[in-house]
Amino acid sequence: MKVAIYARVSSDRQAEKELSIPAQVKAIQQYCLEKEWTITHQFIEKGRSAKTDDRPEFQKMIALAKRSNRPFDAVVVHKFDRFSRKRDDHVIYKALLNQYGVKVISVTEQTQSETPQDMLLEGMLEVISEFFNANLAVEVRKGMTQNAKQGYNNGGTPPYGYRTEHMALGHQKTKAVWVLGPREEIETIRWMFHQYAYENVGYKKIASMLNDQAVPTQKGGKWSATTVRAMIHNQSYLGRKIWNKQDYQTKGNKWRDRSEWIITENAHPAIINEDLFNRCQQKAKERHNGGGVIHRDSQIKKSSPFWLRGVFCCDKCGSRMVGNSTATTKKYGGQRYYVCGGYMRKGKDFCPYVSWRKERIEQIVTNKLRSVLLRLTFDNQLEEEIRKYHGDANRHIWIEKNNLESEVAYLDRRITQLEGELKSGVGKAYYVDMLEDLKGELVVKQTELEKIRDAYSELELSEETLKSLMHDIRVMIGMLDDEVQNPQLMNEYVKKFVSNINVHRETSQVHIIMQSNVGEWVLYQKRVVVDWE
C-alpha cells in the first residue's frame, strides 16, 4: 500500500522534545517498514497548531488525496492529535478522505475503525485529545493573566526604548521584565513626544527628520508615520503594561472590550511623564478630529468609500494605494485621491508622491470591468475562457509530461527487446551492461513523470462552479450599474474578479489583472489595459 507521512509540531519548544519532527518521521517509517508499505510523500508541518485546519501542508495533503490519480491510499500519523486536535475537523476531514478511499492511520493508537469497538476507541481518543488541548489553553491563560497582573512580560518584543531581562526567582524559575534600553533611544523617544506636543510636528515629518538624521528603528530600518503614530499613543512609555487587548483567536483582528484588559501600573521604568503623554493625545484629537486614537470600538468603525482598496497598487514600489481626502477644500465638497501607501508611511525618499483622482480611476475600472464581465455572460464564453487559461497556464507541463511519457514508453520497449534477445541467445555480451543503463534511466524518467503528474491536474469544471461564478458576475455587473454604489459591497465583490490594478506613470495606462479563484486554485486570469485619458 502507498502511504503519505503527516508530521506536525505546534512550536519550536515542542520540536526539541520527544515529539520532534525527526522522532515522529522515524517512528512512522519503522511502522511502514514492518507493514511493507511504500512511503510516497511526506507532509511536514512546523510550528502549526492542530486547533485549526489553516495548515499549508495539511491542505496540500487533502488536495492531493482528492485527485483521481492520488499518489497514496493512506495517511500515517504518529498520534491522531497530530492530524487534528479539534473533534469537528477530525471527523470532517477523515470522512472526506474516506470518500476518496484514503485512510488515516495512527502508529501509536492502532485502530482500524472496522468494528464498533474500534470506532468507539478512536472517537474516545479524539475527544480526549480535544479536551486536553482546551484544558491546557485554560491553564496557560490563567498563568499568563497572573503574570500580567504582577507586571511580568508574557512574551513578544518590547517597544523601542526597552529591552527584555530575566529575573531569577529561585527554584530555577525566571520571569521576563522590561528594562530601559540605550540612552540614545530614550532621548529619541522624549524628543519625538516633545516635537509632537510643543512644536506641532506631525507623524510623517517626525519620521522624515529621524531618517534624515540616520536614526535607526528598533529593527534597523527606516521610520514611517505609522511607527511614529503607534509610539505617540503607546502607554508603555508611562511605565504602564497593558495585556489582553487583542483577541488572538482571530489573529489579532478583533479588540477585546476594555473591561477585559489587564493594566498594571509601574510595571517597568517610565520614559515620559503623564502630562506630556496627555498633551500628545489632546494634540492628536485636535489635528485628526479623533483619528489619532489607536483603539476604536468596532461598532463605531466607519466603512471606507474607497472600493478599490486592497487591489490598487503603486507601480513604482508595489505598496497598496490608500484613500486620502483633502481637508483644505472640504467647504467646496473636498477631493478624494488614492495615494501611495509607501509614500504616506515612509515619505518621498521611499517613493515619489503620485496620487490618482478617486472618481477618475474608479470610473475607468468600472467601465472596463463591466465590459469584460458582460462578454463572459455570452453563450459559453465563461467556460471557454476558463479552459483557454487553464490550457495556456499548463501548456509547458503538458508538453513535458507528453515528452516524458514518450521517453518512458521507448525505454520500456527497448528494455523488453533486449531482454528478449538475451533470452533467445541472439543478444550480444554488452547487452547486459546496456540493459542495466537503460533500467537506471527508466527509473529516473518514471520518477520525473510522477512529479510532473502530481503538478499537473486535469480541469474538473463542475456545473455548480460555473453557476456560482456566473451568479457573482451578474451581481458585480449590477453593482457597477447602480447609480448609488455601496463601497463596502463593491470592495468585497471586486476582489472576486480583480487581483491587482496599477497605473503606469510613464504611459498613463491602467493595467488590470482579472482573476477568479476557487479556494487556492486560480480558475481564470487575464490582463487588460486601458488608457487613462
Side-chain angles (χ1 to χ4, degrees):
M1 182 168 66
K2 293 181 180 180
V3 301
I5 291 176
Y6 180 74
R8 179 191 63 79
V9 290
S10 300
S11 63
D12 293 335
R13 183 177 296 178
Q14 189 183 53
E16 296 170 1
K17 298 183 180 180
E18 71 279 358
L19 283 176
S20 67
I21 293 292
Q24 292 179 49
V25 172
K26 185 177 179 181
I28 295 171
Q29 287 175 336
Q30 182 63 35
Y31 182 78
C32 293
L33 184 64
E34 293 171 0
K35 296 285 187 179
E36 297 184 350
W37 293 343
T38 303
I39 298 170
T40 62
H41 286 72
Q42 290 189 19
F43 300 95
I44 308 300
E45 211 90 65
K46 296 180 181 179
R48 292 284 180 170
S49 170
K51 292 187 291 183
T52 171
D53 60 355
D54 185 16
R55 292 171 268 158
E57 288 298 306
F58 182 83
Q59 291 298 339
K60 181 180 176 183
M61 176 182 72
I62 297 296
L64 274 177
K66 290 165 64 178
R67 289 185 179 179
S68 57
N69 60 338
R70 64 175 184 275
F72 49 83
D73 303 307
V75 175
V76 185
V77 295
H78 185 257
K79 292 180 67 178
F80 283 125
D81 65 5
R82 300 300 91 195
F83 185 78
S84 177
R85 281 191 185 272
K86 191 176 179 183
R87 172 71 175 160
D88 291 350
D89 285 346
H90 195 110
V91 172
I92 290 169
Y93 281 103
K94 193 172 177 186
L96 177 64
L97 290 174
N98 191 51
Q99 285 181 3
Y100 291 92
V102 179
K103 301 177 182 178
V104 179
I105 300 171
S106 167
V107 171
T108 58
E109 301 156 332
Q110 296 176 25
T111 65
Q112 297 299 324
S113 296
E114 294 175 354
T115 68
Q117 292 88 345
D118 287 331
M119 293 174 64
L120 176 62
L121 175 58
E122 186 172 326
M124 290 172 64
L125 290 170
E126 293 161 7
V127 171
I128 290 170
S129 175
E130 185 171 7
F131 166 77
F132 171 79
N133 190 69
N135 188 61
L136 179 63
V138 170
E139 293 302 318
V140 168
R141 186 163 186 80
K142 282 181 184 177
M144 294 178 74
T145 300
Q146 190 61 30
N147 222 31
K149 287 180 178 179
Q150 295 174 3
Y152 297 124
N153 186 33
N154 275 326
T157 305
Y160 182 83
Y162 289 102
R163 297 293 185 270
T164 300
E165 281 193 3
H166 294 272
M167 295 175 53
L169 300 179
H171 303 290
Q172 297 182 336
K173 288 185 177 181
T174 61
K175 293 285 187 179
V177 294
W178 289 350
V179 297
L180 294 175
R183 179 175 292 276
E184 307 85 63
E185 291 188 12
I186 296 170
E187 291 176 353
T188 298
I189 292 166
R190 288 171 178 162
W191 174 85
M192 291 167 66
F193 275 87
H194 185 273
Q195 289 292 310
Y196 192 82
Y198 296 104
E199 302 300 329
N200 206 31
V201 181
Y203 306 134
K204 189 160 58 176
K205 182 62 176 176
I206 290 174
S208 180
M209 292 167 72
L210 289 170
N211 289 330
D212 290 343
Q213 297 168 28
V215 177
T217 63
Q218 191 171 25
K219 295 182 179 179
K222 295 281 188 181
W223 290 87
S224 70
T226 305
T227 304
V228 174
R229 176 178 177 270
M231 290 177 64
I232 292 296
H233 295 278
N234 192 343
Q235 297 183 48
S236 297
Y237 295 118
L238 294 170
R240 183 179 298 157
K241 185 178 287 294
I242 304 177
W243 183 73
N244 203 41
K245 289 196 294 185
Q246 292 172 291
D247 183 356
Y248 290 99
Q249 293 294 332
T250 64
K251 299 183 180 180
N253 291 329
K254 290 186 179 179
W255 291 78
R256 296 185 186 277
D257 188 81
R258 289 177 185 270
S259 62
E260 298 182 59
W261 295 8
I262 295 175
I263 303 172
T264 307
E265 301 289 350
N266 303 316
H268 48 265
I271 293 179
I272 61 168
N273 59 47
E274 193 94 28
D275 289 340
L276 179 57
F277 183 83
N278 289 339
R279 185 177 179 87
C280 285
Q281 308 319 300
Q282 185 59 38
K283 278 283 184 181
K285 290 180 180 179
E286 293 171 1
R287 291 172 63 98
H288 304 285
N289 192 26
V293 180
I294 291 295
H295 168 64
R296 289 179 180 274
D297 294 329
S298 58
Q299 291 88 340
I300 62 173
K301 184 177 179 182
K302 294 177 66 177
S303 60
S304 170
F306 296 86
W307 58 269
L308 292 181
R309 64 187 186 279
V311 295
F312 189 15
C313 300
C314 174
D315 68 310
K316 290 297 182 185
C317 68
S319 301
R320 300 276 176 86
M321 303 293 281
V322 297
N324 189 38
S325 301
T326 55
T328 55
T329 59
K330 275 188 177 179
K331 63 182 179 179
Y332 301 112
Q335 297 294 340
R336 289 172 173 173
Y337 296 87
Y338 284 95
V339 184
C340 171
Y343 167 82
M344 292 289 285
R345 292 189 303 273
K346 301 179 181 180
K348 62 183 178 182
D349 292 337
F350 179 80
C351 186
Y353 174 73
V354 170
S355 62
W356 305 102
R357 284 281 300 275
K358 173 185 181 295
E359 289 77 10
R360 181 59 183 146
I361 183 64
E362 289 181 359
Q363 180 187 28
I364 291 172
V365 173
T366 294
N367 292 340
K368 195 63 181 178
L369 192 56
R370 183 194 293 112
S371 172
V372 174
L373 292 178
L374 274 173
R375 193 177 299 117
L376 293 177
T377 63
F378 298 154
D379 299 326
N380 297 319
Q381 191 69 28
L382 176 60
E383 183 175 355
E384 289 176 8
E385 286 287 343
I386 291 173
R387 294 193 181 280
K388 181 178 182 301
Y389 166 74
H390 189 80
D392 292 343
N394 290 282
R395 188 176 302 281
H396 64 291
I397 299 177
W398 184 80
I399 291 172
E400 190 174 355
K401 182 173 78 74
N402 281 353
N403 289 340
L404 282 170
E405 286 174 342
S406 297
E407 290 181 50
V408 167
Y410 167 76
L411 289 169
D412 266 331
R413 289 196 304 272
R414 188 69 177 131
I415 288 170
T416 302
Q417 180 186 355
L418 290 177
E419 286 177 338
E421 292 180 9
L422 285 170
K423 190 174 181 179
S424 63
V426 299
K428 307 294 183 182
Y430 63 83
Y431 278 17
V432 176
D433 293 335
M434 184 186 297
L435 196 58
E436 289 302 313
D437 290 342
L438 288 174
K439 286 181 176 179
E441 187 178 352
L442 178 62
V443 170
V444 172
K445 294 297 181 183
Q446 285 175 331
T447 303
E448 290 179 8
L449 182 57
E450 280 297 316
K451 290 181 180 178
I452 287 292
R453 283 173 175 166
D454 285 345
Y456 179 79
S457 60
E458 295 290 340
L459 178 61
E460 297 178 1
L461 198 57
S462 68
E463 187 176 346
E464 290 76 13
T465 300
L466 283 172
K467 284 182 178 179
S468 175
L469 186 55
M470 185 61 74
H471 170 76
D472 288 342
I473 289 173
R474 295 189 188 282
V475 171
M476 185 77 247
I477 292 172
M479 290 182 178
L480 294 170
D481 289 339
D482 284 344
E483 291 185 13
V484 180
Q485 297 176 334
N486 183 323
Q488 191 64 33
L489 283 176
M490 290 281 286
N491 180 252
E492 291 176 13
Y493 263 82
V494 77
K495 290 175 181 176
K496 294 185 177 186
F497 302 102
V498 178
S499 63
N500 183 274
I501 298 171
N502 57 59
V503 183
H504 288 209
R505 309 181 197 202
E506 292 80 6
T507 61
S508 291
Q509 287 184 322
V510 182
H511 290 244
I512 306 171
I513 305 295
M514 304 281 295
Q515 181 172 309
S516 292
N517 296 353
V518 175
E520 297 182 357
W521 182 38
V522 178
L523 195 63
Y524 166 77
Q525 189 179 79
K526 183 177 183 178
R527 178 188 290 269
V528 294
V529 181
V530 58
D531 292 332
W532 176 264
E533 296 300 333

